[in-house]
Amino acid sequence: MPAATHPPLLDSFIAHLAESDQRVTATRLQVAKAIARRGGHFTAEEICAALPSVGRATVYRNIKLLAEMGFLCRVLLEDGSLHYQVSHRGHHHHLVCTACGLAQDLLGCDIQDLLRTRAGDSGFAVSGHWLEVYGLCRDCQSKAP
Amino acid sequence: MPAATHPPLLDSFIAHLAESDQRVTATRLQVAKAIARRGGHFTAEEICAALPSVGRATVYRNIKLLAEMGFLCRVLLEDGSLHYQVSHRGHHHHLVCTACGLAQDLLGCDIQDLLRTRAGDSGFAVSGHWLEVYGLCRDCQSKAP
DNA sequence: AGGCATAATGATACGAGGTCTCGATAGTAG
DNA sequence: CTACTATCGAGACCTCGTATCATTATGCCT
Ligand SMILES: [Mn+2]
Ligand SMILES: [Mn+2]
Ligand SMILES: [Zn+2]
Ligand SMILES: [Zn+2]
């Protein structure tokens, strides 16, 4: 049995469900466990494949729930495909390695001020932004020529 | 007949086709004209609807071609839907108004240096990034309370 | 522990958005 | 004009995600 890569996820999920009057079902725990078991990012379809006994709609519903609760963040790959990842809560961005796929959190987003200034020049009032950064992680740099 | 909103597009497109040994077909020009006629951004399906006599696959093929040539840029809306827009060539971002949909180009992207510094701290080598900025354009600010 | 109200599930159909296939058509070089 | 072949159009197909709805099972109340 593979060790949980994100051990706190299960407990936090259960706690949040209880707080918000949502039911702790066996299926929900199955989905959360399948996610906690993973390192790195994953697609909804991958979870569906890993849990053939769980309905596809249910997998999508629960991933959405986990994301709304802040336990999962969206990772947009360069090819446009949407992945999810257990992650820091709150606003942040990702450094996505185009070689191995690793997506590490880039905390302390300090571009909001820069954006407000640059956009303000055109009279635009910034309320939010979406940013993904692509490149090579440390490991992949040393492996590549 | 509506005036072309982007008059240079047609000629530039034809020139690029000739340069790269691709054929100047009637269908290609129809698609390019339908696009040049628009202000703002649009979806592939909107072009399909505007050109019912042109095959859907062909519309998608030619939009992709125009985008690869640099005449169109992708605009990712907050809801995740992909639009296209006649645009400045080369790397740039957008200020997308969440009220009226206006997407104006944000030129002179000066976040690359900032990103290199912040990412470099984690040993990550930045090669590119994707950024969309959301908020209210000048007009929509004055209309709103 | 047993019963109830209803949240959650899963099978399935549906829809948007986009690609693939392949025979037919039409640019273009010569 | 002809031949070559890039491009086209129709439709099948695919992925990702949501809507519907009969069935199940959770949490609470007694
Ligand atoms: Mn994250
Ligand atoms: Mn643009
Ligand atoms: Zn890597
Ligand atoms: Zn606006």
Side-chain angles (χ1 to χ4, degrees):
Chain A
M1 149 179 166
T5 308
H6 301 284
L9 179 62
L10 253 278
D11 292 339
S12 310
F13 187 32
I14 293 172
H16 261 252
L17 286 171
E19 279 170 31
S20 53
D21 289 312
Q22 308 199 67
R23 296 181 181 175
V24 179
T25 68
T27 309
R28 278 193 172 144
L29 298 184
Q30 276 189 85
V31 172
K33 274 179 201 159
I35 288 173
R37 210 177 287 139
R38 305 209 156 222
H41 47 77
F42 57 86
T43 63
E45 293 298 331
E46 285 168 5
I47 303 300
C48 291
L51 298 174
S53 67
V54 175
R56 216 163 61 95
T58 301
V59 169
Y60 276 90
R61 281 189 284 245
N62 283 303
I63 286 177
K64 181 180 283 184
L65 185 60
L66 282 160
E68 282 166 356
M69 286 179 169
F71 295 120
L72 297 182
C73 60
R74 293 160 170 254
V75 181
L76 193 62
L77 267 52
E78 254 187 334
D79 68 2
S81 65
L82 178 62
H83 289 229
Y84 292 89
Q85 177 165 314
V86 178
S87 180
H88 291 88
R89 311 187 67 177
H91 180 83
H92 67 269
H93 307 295
H94 299 118
L95 305 174
V96 183
C97 178
T98 52
C100 70
L102 174 80
Q104 77 189 77
D105 286 354
L106 175 61
L107 299 174
C109 167
D110 36 17
I111 72 163
Q112 187 80 8
D113 289 344
L114 174 62
L115 290 178
R116 277 192 215 284
T117 306
R118 300 276 296 104
D121 296 346
S122 344
F124 192 93
V126 176
S127 62
H129 61 265
W130 175 262
L131 171 67
E132 298 282 25
V133 185
Y134 303 101
L136 290 178
C137 72
R138 195 192 298 272
D139 286 353
C140 288
Q141 286 172 65
S142 54
K143 281 174 206 154
Chain B
M1 146 179 165
T5 308
H6 300 284
L9 180 63
L10 251 277
D11 292 340
S12 309
F13 186 32
I14 292 173
H16 261 253
L17 286 172
E19 279 170 29
S20 51
D21 289 312
Q22 309 199 67
R23 296 181 179 175
V24 179
T25 67
T27 308
R28 274 189 177 149
L29 298 184
Q30 273 188 263
V31 172
K33 273 179 201 157
I35 287 173
R37 211 177 284 140
R38 305 208 156 225
H41 47 78
F42 57 86
T43 62
E45 293 298 330
E46 285 167 4
I47 303 301
C48 292
L51 298 174
S53 67
V54 175
R56 214 164 63 97
T58 300
V59 168
Y60 276 90
R61 282 188 283 244
N62 283 303
I63 286 177
K64 180 179 285 185
L65 185 60
L66 282 159
E68 283 167 356
M69 284 179 171
F71 295 118
L72 297 182
C73 60
R74 294 160 170 252
V75 181
L76 193 62
L77 268 52
E78 252 187 336
D79 68 2
S81 65
L82 178 62
H83 289 229
Y84 292 87
Q85 177 164 314
V86 177
S87 180
H88 292 89
R89 310 189 66 179
H91 181 83
H92 67 271
H93 307 295
H94 299 118
L95 305 174
V96 182
C97 179
T98 52
C100 69
L102 175 80
Q104 77 190 78
D105 287 352
L106 175 61
L107 300 174
C109 167
D110 37 16
I111 71 163
Q112 188 79 8
D113 289 343
L114 173 62
L115 290 178
R116 276 191 215 285
T117 306
R118 300 277 294 102
D121 295 346
S122 343
F124 192 92
V126 176
S127 61
H129 60 265
W130 175 262
L131 171 68
E132 298 281 27
V133 185
Y134 303 101
L136 290 177
C137 72
R138 195 191 299 270
D139 286 354
C140 289
Q141 285 173 65
S142 55
K143 281 175 208 155

